Amino acid sequence: QVQLVESGGGLVQAGGSLRLSCVASGRTFNTYTVGWFRQAPGKEREFVVAISWSGGRTYYEDSVKGRFTVSRDNAKNTVYLQMNSLKSDDTGVYYCAVAVTSRGVTIPAKQYDYWGQGTQVTVSS
């Protein structure tokens, strides 16, 4: 079992920044790919970014490239998502997820094994 807790969400004006954190507990965290996903009201959950176990590989959804940066500190069992130049389209609940049985950074959402409860990000225009 892996427990994930996201934090750092909030209300921010367009153009502003937020840093989300995803803290893991339970099984060994530093060997797993971690992904961030988001779900806007009335829309399906969508992929945002993934980071490999070492942090050496990342994969970003096109709309966040150049604005979002993912990183991880395995000593702290934490993955971060730095979000800059936020837009109203970035509004949604952000979830982190861990893939235990799959490897790589292009893992489909259905292959992530554990999910956090999410943190709300609201960008006002």
Side-chain angles (χ1 to χ4, degrees):
Q1 287 283 347
V2 177
Q3 293 78 40
L4 302 171
V5 178
E6 303 96 334
S7 63
L11 174 63
V12 64
Q13 289 188 333
S17 299
L18 285 173
R19 189 176 82 154
L20 306 184
S21 299
C22 171
V23 180
S25 61
R27 295 174 63 174
T28 303
F29 175 73
N30 59 7
T31 60
Y32 304 141
T33 293
V34 176
W36 283 98
F37 296 79
R38 65 187 179 189
Q39 187 167 19
K43 296 186 178 181
E44 293 187 355
R45 181 181 59 194
E46 65 174 1
F47 169 81
V48 177
V49 62
I51 184 168
S52 64
W53 68 271
S54 67
R57 286 184 295 157
T58 57
Y59 180 64
Y60 292 86
E61 192 271 329
D62 286 345
S63 70
V64 306
K65 286 180 180 178
R67 300 189 299 122
F68 290 12
T69 303
V70 65
S71 60
R72 67 190 295 167
D73 185 340
N74 285 336
K76 296 182 178 180
N77 281 356
T78 303
V79 171
Y80 303 98
L81 182 62
Q82 178 67 43
M83 305 187 298
N84 299 328
S85 302
L86 283 162
K87 307 174 181 179
S88 57
D89 287 348
D90 295 318
T91 293
V93 179
Y94 282 68
Y95 301 90
C96 64
V98 167
V100 173
T101 56
S102 300
R103 293 290 181 263
V105 292
T106 57
I107 304 169
K110 63 182 179 181
Q111 293 185 15
Y112 282 83
D113 302 287
Y114 298 98
W115 295 78
Q117 294 299 307
T119 184
Q120 176 70 46
V121 171
T122 303
V123 183
S124 63
S125 56

